[in-house]
Amino acid sequence: MGAHGTTGELARFSIAIPAELLAAFDAQIARAGGPANRSEAIRDLIRSSLVQNELRTPDAEVIGSLTMIYDHHTGDLTRKLDSVQHDYTAEIVSTMHVHLDHHNCLEILALKGRGERVYELADKLLGLRGVKHGELTCAATDKSLGR
Ligand code: NI
């Protein structure tokens, strides 16, 4: 087993990625002082994604925050965002809306509930056209870990 938990044979694959995106990723690797190279950085991303997905166990109780940045002029995006949120009143503990500039809004949602519902809500909101940036940070509560 390697330093980062690599087991078994290494598989190689190639991916197509916009040059600009790759350059930004390389710059981030250089800054972070973490993983030494692209391969390790991508392995870390995949592991992180797998861990996050484990929290999608339907019955786990999770808490989290959802951050979104969007242009409120995009079609009927604000109405759709609002409409989705009204179907998850039990999971949305609190929201904060900041009008960043003429176009952009920042919205932060504090969430609590069954993993299935919380991730479903995040998927619906972040999947809407016009949401430029979105990130769900989630953690299982002690209850679901049996502590
Ligand atoms: Ni706004």
Side-chain angles (χ1 to χ4, degrees), residues 48-103:
S48 164
S49 168
L50 290 171
V51 166
Q52 278 184 25
N53 224 48
E54 279 174 19
L55 287 176
R56 290 188 180 231
T57 25
D59 296 321
E61 187 78 13
V62 299
I63 51 169
S65 66
L66 178 67
T67 305
M68 297 182 284
I69 294 173
Y70 58 88
D71 183 339
H72 70 101
H73 295 119
T74 307
D76 55 354
L77 177 60
T78 19
R79 191 192 57 77
K80 285 179 180 163
L81 287 167
D82 203 44
S83 169
V84 171
Q85 291 185 42
H86 276 269
D87 288 334
Y88 293 84
T89 52
E91 287 77 22
I92 300 172
V93 179
S94 178
T95 67
M96 181 167 78
H97 185 108
V98 180
H99 309 301
L100 292 175
D101 53 39
H102 183 69
H103 293 281

Side-chain angles (χ1 to χ4, degrees), residues 9-24:
E9 280 179 44
L10 290 174
R12 293 184 181 277
F13 68 103
S14 62
I15 60 171
I17 180 173
E20 200 175 296
L21 185 60
L22 184 59

